[in-house]
Amino acid sequence: MRPEDLPEVRHLPLFRDMDKNNFDELLGRSYDQTFPAGLEMIRQGDPADFLHVVLDGAVELYGKWGGRECTMAVIRPVSTFILAACIKDLPYLMSARTLERSRILLIPAPDLRTTFRRDTEFAVSVINELAACYRAVVRNTKGLKLRNSRERVASYFLRQSRLLDDAPSYMLPVEKRLLASYLGMTPENLSRTLKALESHGVKVNGMRVIITDRVKLAELAQPDILIDGPDPDALGSGSSLPPVQRRA
Amino acid sequence: MRPEDLPEVRHLPLFRDMDKNNFDELLGRSYDQTFPAGLEMIRQGDPADFLHVVLDGAVELYGKWGGRECTMAVIRPVSTFILAACIKDLPYLMSARTLERSRILLIPAPDLRTTFRRDTEFAVSVINELAACYRAVVRNTKGLKLRNSRERVASYFLRQSRLLDDAPSYMLPVEKRLLASYLGMTPENLSRTLKALESHGVKVNGMRVIITDRVKLAELAQPDILIDGPDPDALGSGSSLPPVQRRA
DNA sequence: GCGAAAACTTGACGCAGATCAAGTTTTGGC
DNA sequence: GCCAAAACTTGATCTGCGTCAAGTTTTCGC
């Protein structure tokens, strides 16, 4: 891997507190690999051989069943994903494909497991990471079961804005097609919902989201700390889209 | 707590590998409390002061938003719940109420956190528990997003049967009202779905489920290892109903 | 074991959201 | 910068599921 990536990986909550030597050894056993866009890197059901770290690009995690697919998360640099499968040494529950050309660091799962057994600080980090991931998925489930799709879209927009210090405008971090699937709806329904939301305080123009009336939007979305955070959550939780890019 | 409960708690995957002295100390600092039926023991948003262990009775975990509620899980003895909130020292994401008179062991969260810092085996157990919980919730999410309600009911029935070595008949572990909410549907819709499933290999009579044609039912449910398990999962994962009682 | 409350069922109806089928716009490779 | 492919939008239609309302059955406290 490129030497300039090392500090970025080291600064991840998962790795920042572990012993320096253990970190170096773990990274030393890892592989830096580049994948073209649109490649299925992981097929759900495959044995979990490596913890993945996105160094560059973007990766979609999704589930398949029968002929259907649903987007579970999109991971952007620098974050890890599929930690739980590696720890349990069980098959991946989700598939992963690159959305663009991506550089991925592959950390062998067995090394991961031996490392947290001998490095308490790392074990604590793993515990915190997993607990955060778990809570992220639970919050996501609550949103899916308690809100209808219009409410999910509205609260997604507010949540993203909040991550940018309540920015009134920002760019969507992913295509609408993916956003729709992530939110558990069809692209057609999302499209119509966006139009309907124009009278509720938010306007979407291409990839740009413009919050025109935050109060009105919040009235509809009824943002809830126990669903929308903030909660210092893991990004690679397998249930969130990446934070938005700030307006240029 | 009653001395006869101790071995049952000790045999939980979360506690069985830790140092005996640490276990005894942890339990020594805990409280054994009995709650009447129908009591809201935990209100979502409360600070996570205790890890809960159901010793007797049954506890429903549920989420609230606006005026709506949804059942996330039902916990039966002997299992723990809300581990993640305790570890992160963050508010509970779910509320909990007793479904019947229940005896609960309360383990102070701070003691929990200090214990896994000095007991590696316990830390590893916590890691495994959290990873299992995480995977359970992810599988649950996949089921919610990829299956329609009829498919969810059908696969729930098959899953329960499989937990009893493919028993052709068993009793529902919870009221239909709860099952409906857990599966993300209304009681009315569940009721109608049950009738419709009679021509697809399963008959429900009161609380009794009778699988009349396993092949036909499986055709509809399309059971999938990556959604329905088996996967040696945590029961207190916050996303499953208890295993069924075997036919008397 | 009686009576009220809760759980469950059934029917009628409406709506949110899926599906199908064209368009139109945007993206990206050569 | 052009062209094809993909993403997005829009409309028409259908349907799964929620809602409301009125039973019926089961449960449970006294």
Side-chain angles (χ1 to χ4, degrees):
Chain A
M1 74 188 285
R2 302 188 192 147
E4 66 265 32
D5 293 326
L6 220 129
E8 294 217 66
V9 176
R10 174 69 169 167
H11 282 116
L12 288 172
L14 186 57
F15 297 116
R16 72 163 70 113
D17 293 326
M18 70 190 300
D19 179 84
K20 174 103 175 50
N21 292 325
N22 290 336
F23 176 75
D24 290 340
E25 191 182 329
L26 205 55
L27 274 275
R29 295 176 187 276
S30 304
Y31 309 93
D32 183 353
Q33 218 167 321
T34 299
F35 298 92
L39 188 90
E40 187 179 57
M41 313 164 46
I42 291 176
R43 191 183 299 255
Q44 63 178 35
D46 283 352
D49 297 326
F50 297 100
L51 174 66
H52 289 53
V53 188
V54 184
L55 297 174
D56 251 318
V59 174
E60 177 194 3
L61 301 183
Y62 60 103
K64 287 184 285 193
W65 180 76
R68 303 169 213 169
E69 273 189 24
C70 73
T71 301
M72 302 289 285
V74 172
I75 316 287
R76 288 194 179 269
V78 179
S79 323
T80 63
F81 62 95
I82 40 109
L83 174 61
C86 293
I87 280 172
K88 300 286 293 183
D89 196 15
L90 285 172
Y92 296 124
L93 294 178
M94 299 183 267
S95 293
R97 70 165 74 93
T98 50
L99 293 175
E100 28 186 284
R101 181 179 167 84
S102 301
R103 210 152 47 82
I104 311 287
L105 182 69
L106 302 168
I107 305 177
D111 295 314
L112 202 72
R113 290 190 294 266
T114 58
T115 304
F116 68 63
R117 284 200 152 269
R118 66 166 192 238
D119 185 332
T120 301
E121 285 308 316
F122 184 48
V124 171
S125 295
V126 170
I127 286 174
N128 277 294
E129 180 86 5
L130 286 171
C133 288
Y134 171 79
R135 285 171 63 89
V137 189
V138 167
R139 278 195 266 104
N140 188 47
T141 304
K142 285 176 68 178
L144 276 176
K145 289 179 81 171
L146 290 167
R147 285 173 169 154
N148 64 27
S149 51
R150 201 177 57 161
E151 291 159 346
R152 290 200 295 277
V153 174
S155 51
Y156 174 77
F157 285 152
L158 270 187
R159 216 157 54 214
Q160 291 294 86
S161 168
R162 202 205 51 222
L163 289 175
L164 295 168
D165 308 307
D166 294 330
S169 172
Y170 55 85
M171 303 302 285
L172 285 175
V174 295
E175 292 177 340
K176 288 179 193 165
R177 182 179 58 89
L178 282 181
L179 177 60
S181 179
Y182 171 70
L183 294 173
M185 54 202 295
T186 59
E188 294 97 321
N189 189 24
L190 174 60
S191 195
R192 279 184 255 271
T193 302
L194 292 184
K195 202 191 283 185
L197 284 179
E198 287 182 13
S199 57
H200 290 272
V202 65
K203 175 116 185 47
V204 178
N205 213 310
M207 293 270 99
R208 161 141 286 137
V209 178
I210 303 145
I211 294 178
T212 55
D213 186 338
R214 184 172 301 267
V215 174
K216 209 168 203 174
L217 187 57
E219 235 163 66
L220 179 68
Q222 283 183 249
D224 178 338
I225 277 196
L226 302 176
I227 299 179
D228 306 296
D231 199 82
D233 264 336
L235 289 175
S237 59
S239 73
S240 61
L241 298 182
V244 296
Q245 271 75 44
R246 194 173 291 273
R247 176 166 193 166
Chain B
M1 73 188 285
R2 302 188 192 149
E4 65 265 33
D5 294 326
L6 221 129
E8 294 218 65
V9 175
R10 175 69 169 169
H11 282 116
L12 288 172
L14 185 58
F15 297 116
R16 72 164 68 114
D17 293 326
M18 71 190 299
D19 180 83
K20 173 100 175 52
N21 292 325
N22 289 336
F23 176 75
D24 290 340
E25 190 181 331
L26 205 54
L27 274 275
R29 295 176 187 276
S30 304
Y31 310 92
D32 182 354
Q33 218 165 321
T34 299
F35 299 92
L39 187 90
E40 188 179 58
M41 312 162 48
I42 292 175
R43 190 181 300 253
Q44 62 176 37
D46 283 352
D49 296 325
F50 298 99
L51 175 66
H52 289 53
V53 188
V54 184
L55 297 175
D56 250 318
V59 174
E60 177 194 3
L61 301 183
Y62 61 102
K64 287 183 283 192
W65 180 76
R68 302 168 214 171
E69 273 190 23
C70 71
T71 301
M72 303 288 285
V74 172
I75 316 288
R76 286 193 180 270
V78 177
S79 323
T80 62
F81 62 95
I82 41 107
L83 174 62
C86 293
I87 280 171
K88 302 283 295 182
D89 197 14
L90 286 172
Y92 297 123
L93 294 178
M94 300 183 267
S95 293
R97 70 163 77 93
T98 50
L99 293 176
E100 27 187 285
R101 180 179 167 84
S102 302
R103 212 153 45 82
I104 311 286
L105 181 70
L106 302 167
I107 305 177
D111 295 314
L112 202 72
R113 291 191 292 267
T114 58
T115 304
F116 67 63
R117 284 199 151 270
R118 66 165 192 239
D119 184 334
T120 301
E121 285 308 316
F122 184 48
V124 171
S125 296
V126 170
I127 286 174
N128 278 294
E129 179 87 4
L130 286 171
C133 288
Y134 171 78
R135 286 171 63 88
V137 189
V138 167
R139 278 195 267 104
N140 188 47
T141 304
K142 285 176 67 178
L144 275 176
K145 289 179 81 172
L146 290 167
R147 286 173 169 154
N148 64 29
S149 50
R150 201 178 58 161
E151 291 160 345
R152 289 200 296 276
V153 174
S155 50
Y156 173 77
F157 285 153
L158 270 186
R159 216 157 55 214
Q160 291 294 86
S161 168
R162 202 204 54 223
L163 289 175
L164 294 169
D165 307 308
D166 295 330
S169 173
Y170 56 84
M171 302 302 285
L172 285 175
V174 296
E175 292 177 340
K176 290 180 192 163
R177 183 179 58 89
L178 282 182
L179 177 60
S181 178
Y182 170 70
L183 293 173
M185 55 202 293
T186 59
E188 294 95 324
N189 189 24
L190 175 60
S191 195
R192 279 184 256 271
T193 300
L194 292 184
K195 201 190 286 185
L197 284 180
E198 287 183 13
S199 57
H200 290 271
V202 65
K203 174 115 185 50
V204 178
N205 213 311
M207 294 268 99
R208 159 142 287 136
V209 179
I210 303 148
I211 294 178
T212 54
D213 186 339
R214 185 173 299 268
V215 174
K216 208 169 203 173
L217 186 58
E219 236 164 63
L220 179 69
Q222 285 183 247
D224 178 339
I225 274 198
L226 302 176
I227 299 179
D228 305 296
D231 199 81
D233 263 337
L235 289 175
S237 58
S239 72
S240 61
L241 298 183
V244 296
Q245 271 76 43
R246 194 173 289 273
R247 176 166 195 167

